[in-house]
Each structure stands twice: as structure tokens, then as C-alpha cells.
Amino acid sequence: MSSILFALPENQLFAKSLVDQLKIPLGDVIFRHFPDGDSYVRIKSEIKDKEVFLLASLNQPDPKVIPLLFFSKTAKTLGAKKIHLIAPYLAYMRQDKAFNPGEAINSRIFATLLSQYFDTLITIDPHLHRYKTLDEIYTIPTYVLHADILIAEWIQQNIKKPVLIGPDVESKQWVLRAANHIKAPYLIFKKTRIGDRDVQISVPHIEDYQHNTAVLIDDIISSAATMIEAVKHLKQLGVRKIVCIGIHAIFAGNAYQELKATGVERIITCNTILHESSTIDVSGMVADAIRADMLL
Ligand code: R5P
């Protein structure tokens, strides 16, 4: 089966790694903007009857969405057999209900839109909270991969005596699987969100782990308010060695600097979003999934 992979400009490194592993060509495409800000897309490679993969990590999604839709429609017009979206980070998953009257349920609207333009979606640890699976909102086949085992292996190789900590109840899914994999102890904190950048965290008993390295694990680090609050509490309780691990390095505004300023030993993320903290490479997992479950 003939396949080709295209990527948004900022995902070129990940794309290179994928095409090397999958032994498929990297497609030639131009994504740019006209002086007035309108998007321009030109697919230069031959794609007729091919399985077309588009790699686009959807952090800061709004400027990327129009080019994505233009790409998909153009690829169909040029005779692509199917168009598969690989979005290592999937945006708009956190607003999964109307918390106040009149609020848009972003996750559902975004899912409906992408489902109209792509034949399948491959993603890594989407923020599933009130939805159990993406099938509740996406009408196309979705392939969800998990970074927890790679995270667990990184911890095992790099941290002596870790205690894994979830800063909120949603993070339990990753923390539990990672802890089980390396047989490490774990704790889950309780978080109350007061605003976009304001959270309160209550900490269970940590006395037994004063001599361990506390490894905070969360799916997304955005404003970093969750991590910063958790770090503050741990420090107040006398924990000295703290490492923060996030799957998706959003780091809005100065979030990364603010988290660093707390004095944590290390901040580690996966390369679903390219960032200086990206240490854990998840491209192999994506390549394996494409090879095993999909169309090569
Ligand atoms: C929310 O429930 C997620 O699991 C993360 O805890 C959250 O997205 C982190 O956001 P922030 O860095 O803005 O606190």
C-alpha cells in the first residue's frame, strides 16, 4: 500500500523520525500565509490513490485549523485514498461540558469538525475526563496511544526511590499505570480549580516518603498552576527532591519559567509538542501503531 506523510512546519523533527521508521516518503507541501493573513496551502507531491498522513500537533490550535481543513479538502480533490490526521496533542478536550449557561462545548464541536475532514485520527493521551473514549464525540475511527509506560521507563532509568504523584484525580490514570509498571509507590492529590490560572491542592500524607524523590505526573502542563501549587505543598511538607513530568508541554506564556523558579530538580515532557523540556520520544510508539493497526 502506498503511503506518504506530510507535516506542519513545526512538526518536521517528529515527521522525520516517523518517515525514517515507517520507510515512507515525506511529502512536499507549502503552508504559508498571504500578506493579509489568509492561509495558503499547496500540496506538491503526487498523492493520487495514496494513504495520506498529516502530522499536526494541535497546541495553539486556532491558526492551524484552517490550513488543516484546506489541506484535507485539497488532498481529497487530488485523489488521496484516505487522509489520516496524526495529532500527538489534541486540542479542545478540556472544555467537555458547559460549566456555565451558554458556554460552547468545545470538545464536541471540534470533534464534529475534524470528523468531517479526516478519515481517521491518531493521538496521544487526549484529555479524557467526562468522556470515557473519543468515540463519544468523534465519528471517525480514533487511535489513542498512551505515554505512561515510556514515562515509567524514564523514571526507572533516571530517578532513585521515586514516589509517583498525581496532582489531581484525573491524573490518576497515568500515575497508576506508570506506578504499577515499575512497582513504585504513588499518591493522588485533590485539586480544586478556582480559575484558569488558579488552583487549590490538598495533599494526603506524605510523611512516609520524605526520603523519596517526588515525581509529579500530569497529562498537560498549560499555565503550570497545577504543578506549581503541588510543588509548593510538597515543599511546605519538607519534600526536597521534586521532578515534574508532563505529557504535553503547552507552557502558556511564562509558565515554564515560573515552574522552573519553584526550584524543582527537573521538568520533563514528551515530544508531542516540541519544547526544550521534551525528553521522552513518543514517535516510536506512533510508528508502531501505524504499522500494526493501520495501513502500511
Ligand atoms: C486538568 O485536569 C489536566 O489534567 C491538567 O491538570 C491541567 O490541564 C493543567 O493545567 P494548568 O497547567 O493550567 O494547571
Side-chain angles (χ1 to χ4, degrees):
M1 185 142 333
S2 180
S3 301
I4 186 164
L5 185 138
F6 294 85
L8 291 186
E10 68 188 64
N11 297 133
Q12 287 302 320
L13 256 185
F14 200 113
K16 174 85 178 66
S17 168
L18 276 184
V19 294
D20 286 352
Q21 294 177 68
L22 293 169
K23 302 192 179 10
I24 63 173
L26 184 60
D28 193 2
V29 61
I30 300 174
F31 288 107
R32 70 172 181 88
H33 290 96
F34 291 107
D36 61 2
D38 284 6
S39 292
Y40 173 94
V41 175
R42 179 176 171 205
I43 300 172
K44 293 174 80 179
S45 303
E46 173 61 46
I47 57 168
K48 192 161 166 31
D49 296 327
K50 291 189 180 165
E51 300 286 338
V52 170
F53 292 84
L54 174 61
L55 174 68
S57 203
L58 294 177
N59 53 309
Q60 307 291 338
D62 291 7
K64 295 176 185 166
V65 170
I66 290 289
L68 241 60
L69 306 187
F70 288 1
F71 176 94
S72 161
K73 276 289 170 208
T74 310
K76 276 266 169 314
T77 308
L78 294 172
K81 194 165 176 205
K82 281 196 174 159
I83 306 162
H84 311 280
L85 177 62
I86 306 171
Y89 172 68
L90 182 61
Y92 283 125
M93 287 300 294
R94 291 192 293 170
Q95 181 81 12
D96 56 3
K97 77 169 202 180
F99 298 91
N100 296 293
E103 274 179 359
I105 305 177
N106 298 345
S107 50
R108 202 168 272 287
I109 300 168
F110 195 57
T112 305
L113 180 72
L114 290 188
S115 297
Q116 285 164 6
Y117 283 81
F118 293 94
D119 293 295
T120 62
L121 167 68
I122 305 162
T123 189
I124 299 171
D125 288 309
H127 186 76
L128 291 169
H129 180 201
R130 288 172 189 87
Y131 308 123
K132 284 210 164 53
T133 70
L134 286 182
D135 298 341
E136 290 180 43
I137 47 175
Y138 281 81
T139 55
I140 51 174
T142 55
Y143 297 78
V144 172
L145 311 176
H146 300 285
D148 44 25
I149 299 305
L150 292 175
I151 290 174
E153 285 166 358
W154 184 90
I155 295 171
Q156 195 167 42
Q157 285 156 20
N158 292 279
I159 310 283
K160 276 193 201 124
K161 275 190 94 183
V163 51
L164 277 46
I165 299 178
D168 58 22
V169 75
E170 288 117 287
S171 59
K172 186 171 177 184
Q173 45 189 309
W174 298 282
V175 173
L176 193 62
R177 287 194 298 251
N180 285 342
H181 191 71
I182 55 173
K183 301 194 177 20
Y186 73 91
L187 297 168
I188 305 295
F189 294 176
K190 199 165 164 244
K191 172 173 93 180
T192 313
R193 187 171 281 279
I194 322 285
D196 285 353
R197 293 168 189 272
D198 192 8
V199 298
Q200 279 176 358
I201 284 181
S202 64
V203 182
H205 302 290
I206 191 133
E207 300 80 22
D208 297 346
Y209 301 109
Q210 294 293 337
H211 302 293
N212 292 55
T213 298
V215 183
L216 284 157
I217 304 178
D218 207 352
D219 57 341
I220 299 169
I221 311 180
S222 179
S223 69
T226 303
M227 282 290 186
I228 291 170
E229 201 55 26
V231 170
K232 266 194 218 155
H233 277 273
L234 288 170
K235 291 206 155 192
Q236 274 161 14
L237 294 167
V239 179
R240 276 199 289 277
K241 290 190 197 152
I242 305 172
V243 171
C244 294
I245 303 184
I247 298 173
H248 305 295
I250 299 272
F251 290 117
N254 285 330
Y256 184 58
Q257 284 68 27
E258 287 165 16
L259 182 55
K260 263 172 119 174
T262 61
V264 292
E265 285 200 343
R266 293 186 75 170
I267 304 169
I268 300 292
T269 60
C270 300
N271 61 344
T272 57
I273 296 169
L274 190 62
H275 186 264
E276 64 176 276
S277 61
S278 303
T279 305
I280 301 172
D281 180 14
V282 292
S283 67
M285 179 169 78
V286 176
D288 285 349
I290 291 174
R291 253 193 309 260
D293 295 337
M294 300 202 50
L295 310 143
L296 299 180

